[in-house]
Every structure is written in structure tokens, then in C-alpha cells.
Amino acid sequence: MVGLGEEDFSSLSPELIQKYTEQFKTPERFIQFNGNIVVLPIPAEKQDLAFLPDRFETGEHIQTPRDSFQVTAMSLEQMEAAGYGLHHISDGGEHLIIWKLLYSFARIIRETMPHIVSMENVPELSDENVFHDFVNALIELGYNVDWHVVYCPEYGVPQNRKRLVLLASRLGQIALITPLYNQDNYPTVRDAIGNLPPIDAGEQNEIDPLHRACRLSEINLRRIRSSVPGGTWRDWDESLQLPCHKRKSGRTYPSVYGRMCWDEPSPTITTQFYGYGNGRFGHPEQDRALSLREGAILQSFPPDYIFTDEDHPSNRRDLGIHIGNAVPVELGRAIGISILNHLQEVGTNG
């Protein structure tokens, strides 16, 4: 692990993630030295086993010498989307995560008392005590609070993504606008990216520099050519399967290395959607992963949205984080319209 920089830790392949998860499942110490990250497993005799997540129930709060944590059953993908930090992983798939940001948000609201508050996050947050503490804090401050777990295709996002959306107002009752789409007309992958010019793995479109796809190794080209839309790695010949797929822990991630389906919303776009092995991010028919432009469009950015310029270039990793961590644009539009409608209503009534 010595020699890896900070940027390397967000681009590990599933095989390496599996390897290092198993290798460093016990508590570890991370040290930065001369720009490198050094991982030092803590010897068993020095571990405080009382803080391992296997010893706690989901939802339980833990105070450690390092920080305050809460045990959650969120997946790594859900935690990444929420922006939470992983502390330890247990055999049961539970993690300790840092929850302080939401408490800090409540403190800022208490200090500034804005007329309107909005928040969006992963749906699993609604099951956690910290979220209900946050809602109760808003109510005690005199806010009218409305929150729901919304299905993003209902608001024009061509992506199978659910988000927790909260709106609160000191001016009166507030609510998210009613859904704009239903299961008969959800936007699909084909609707979103079906008209983009084809490109090969490792190629960049001549007109749009964001429409570029990662290069694939020979074995990954064989894997994607053996994949069908909506299928899994279980469809492959055994010679193409990875060792981690054959272990019990790897059988629960069948969508990894999968192709998307044309006539359905896409899977959730994460910060590493441009990597073929990072999820079901294979193009429905071209032998490659999604391009950066395709990921942005599936997040409902306009097809010609400009993310960089000559004075502010950005690498693939930074663009992936920008795109994958964004609130889906059409969901953001729905939230904005909801707030404008509310302000017009209270203005008319007042």
C-alpha cells in the first residue's frame, strides 16, 4: 500500500477493494508520509475490540476516542453517495460512519434561521436516529417540515435512483411538487443517450471531449462481449469470472461488470460510473463503459453542459466526482419549483 497517493483510493478495482477489505478488516491506522498513504494494521493485542461494528446493532451510537459514530447497514455505494466516511467494516456488512455533518447543518440553521431549508440524501438516512433528531430540531425552531423518499424517474431523471428529499419553511406549509412522470413514461437510457455518436473503449469523440470512454483490457473486452443488457457476470464462461465472484462475499454483487438496458432507467450513477468494473455501467450495445458525457446526461445535466475550460482543466476522476455526487439536475429543478410555488403562495396569502 505504500506509494499510493490519496487520489488512488477512489479508483480501486472491485478485485482490489475485495483484497484490501479482507486484508485490513481489523482496525487500521492511516498515515500520510511525503505525499503517500501508508496503511498500518493495528496488532491484535493493541486493538480495542469493543469498537468493532459486529458488536453493535444497526442504528446504535458509539463514542470512540477518535470520533462519534453510528452503526449503519448502508452499502458502500450508498455511503459514497451520501458523502459519509467509512471507519470499519464488519463480516455482516455493517459499517461505522461519521454523522456529525447533519448535526452541524442543524447548528447552522439554528444560528442563521433561513426562511427555507432543503436537503437531499440517501433514503436509508430516514431510518437513522440522527435524521429524526434533525427533523425534531427544525420543528422546535418553528419550521413546517415535509420529507419523502422520491423515485427520481418520477421527476424526469433517467436513472433508477431514490433520494430522500426534505423541505422546511418558517413561512407556512411546504411540499415537493407532485410527480411529473409515471411507470408508463419514465425516461429511459435510450431516451437519454441513444442518439450520441458511437465510440470505442479508449476513444474520444472529436467534437465533444467529454464523450470519451476508458480503455479496456483484453480480458475485460471479452467480458463485456459476453454480457447482455440486464445480465450479470454469472452469464460468463467460468474462465472469465474473477476469484472474488466465486467467494461467498462476491456473490451478492451480480451487477458488477453488467450492461445497462436501453428501455429502462439506468442504475444509480456513482462517482466511478466511467469504470466498467464499478457497477452496471456497461453501454447497452457498445463494448465499453459509459462515457463521462453519458453519465452526466443520465444525471440529467443538459447534453451540452460545459464542466471545464482551458483555464480550469479537470481529470476523469474529478469529473466523475462532480457528476456522480451532483443532485440530479431535474430533481433539483423540481425542488426549486416547489420552493418558488411555496413563496408565491405565502406571498399571495400574506
Side-chain angles (χ1 to χ4, degrees):
M1 297 291 284
V2 178
L4 291 179
E6 289 180 82
E7 69 279 4
D8 297 298
F9 278 85
S10 66
S11 57
L12 295 178
S13 68
E15 302 96 304
L16 287 178
I17 291 173
Q18 178 78 22
K19 173 184 175 181
Y20 294 132
T21 295
E22 293 177 355
Q23 184 174 352
F24 298 111
K25 186 168 289 183
T26 55
E28 66 279 342
R29 182 180 292 111
F30 291 84
I31 300 173
Q32 186 163 5
F33 181 71
N34 289 338
N36 295 321
I37 302 294
V38 182
V39 182
L40 302 176
I42 300 175
E45 64 272 14
K46 294 186 178 180
Q47 294 175 18
D48 189 344
L49 296 180
F51 295 139
L52 293 183
D54 285 320
R55 303 199 172 212
F56 297 90
E57 298 294 328
T58 298
E60 188 170 351
H61 289 273
I62 304 168
Q63 181 67 47
T64 76
R66 176 178 172 180
D67 217 323
S68 60
F69 299 89
Q70 188 171 18
V71 178
T72 180
M74 285 186 189
S75 68
L76 287 172
E77 181 179 278
Q78 292 161 345
M79 290 173 64
E80 178 191 63
Y84 297 133
L86 171 64
H87 184 51
H88 293 309
I89 183 170
S90 73
D91 289 325
E94 293 185 324
H95 307 79
L96 300 186
I97 59 175
I98 302 174
W99 288 110
K100 284 188 173 179
L101 285 179
L102 200 54
Y103 287 120
S104 296
F105 189 22
R107 175 183 56 77
I108 293 170
I109 293 169
R110 188 176 294 108
E111 292 173 353
T112 60
M113 293 298 291
H115 290 105
I116 306 293
V117 174
S118 69
M119 184 192 77
E120 71 93 43
N121 213 303
V122 294
E124 290 75 15
L125 181 59
S126 65
D127 296 325
E128 305 289 351
N129 293 333
V130 64
F131 175 72
H132 297 287
D133 290 345
F134 179 73
V135 171
N136 290 335
L138 291 177
I139 293 173
E140 290 173 3
L141 291 171
Y143 285 90
N144 297 280
V145 180
D146 179 77
W147 65 268
H148 298 280
V149 173
V150 304
Y151 186 49
C152 290
E154 294 183 337
Y155 292 94
V157 181
Q159 186 183 153
N160 186 18
R161 187 180 193 132
K162 292 183 178 180
R163 300 299 285 178
L164 169 64
V165 175
L166 177 146
L167 293 172
S169 172
R170 293 171 53 205
L171 306 175
Q173 297 295 326
I174 189 170
L176 189 67
I177 61 173
T178 56
L180 306 174
Y181 297 82
N182 57 49
Q183 60 183 0
D184 294 327
N185 62 355
Y186 287 151
T188 66
V189 172
R190 189 187 302 275
D191 296 331
I193 66 172
N195 63 347
L196 292 184
I199 55 175
D200 293 328
E203 185 182 7
Q204 176 178 302
N205 178 261
E206 294 180 357
I207 298 175
D208 182 1
L210 215 65
H211 189 35
R212 63 180 189 265
C214 287
R215 189 176 293 107
L216 293 183
S217 65
E218 182 58 37
I219 191 168
N220 276 341
L221 280 171
R222 290 171 58 201
R223 285 168 176 153
I224 197 168
R225 288 165 182 162
S226 298
S227 300
V228 297
T232 74
W233 52 260
R234 297 183 182 123
D235 302 324
W236 300 344
D237 181 84
E238 188 172 349
S239 65
L240 297 177
Q241 295 180 14
L242 292 156
C244 62
H245 293 157
K246 301 173 184 178
R247 289 193 289 269
K248 182 178 179 181
S249 58
R251 296 173 190 164
T252 57
Y253 300 98
S255 64
V256 174
Y257 292 95
R259 283 189 189 268
M260 295 183 176
C261 296
W262 272 128
D263 297 316
E264 298 176 3
S266 80
T268 297
I269 298 299
T270 67
T271 61
Q272 297 183 56
F273 64 86
Y274 50 82
Y276 171 52
N278 295 330
R280 189 180 295 282
F281 299 134
H283 190 277
E285 61 183 40
Q286 297 169 38
D287 295 333
R288 59 174 177 84
L290 291 177
S291 71
L292 291 168
R293 176 63 71 194
E294 288 166 334
I297 293 174
L298 292 171
Q299 274 281 64
S300 60
F301 282 95
D304 57 353
Y305 190 87
I306 299 174
F307 289 88
T308 62
D309 58 35
E310 292 182 359
D311 296 328
H312 303 89
S314 190
N315 59 36
R316 181 180 282 111
R317 174 182 176 272
D318 291 341
L319 286 168
I321 291 173
H322 186 160
I323 294 167
N325 277 345
V327 177
V329 175
E330 289 302 314
L331 178 60
R333 187 195 304 274
I335 293 171
I337 291 173
S338 302
I339 293 171
L340 288 174
N341 289 348
H342 168 69
L343 293 175
Q344 291 172 355
E345 289 172 3
V346 297
T348 301
N349 295 334

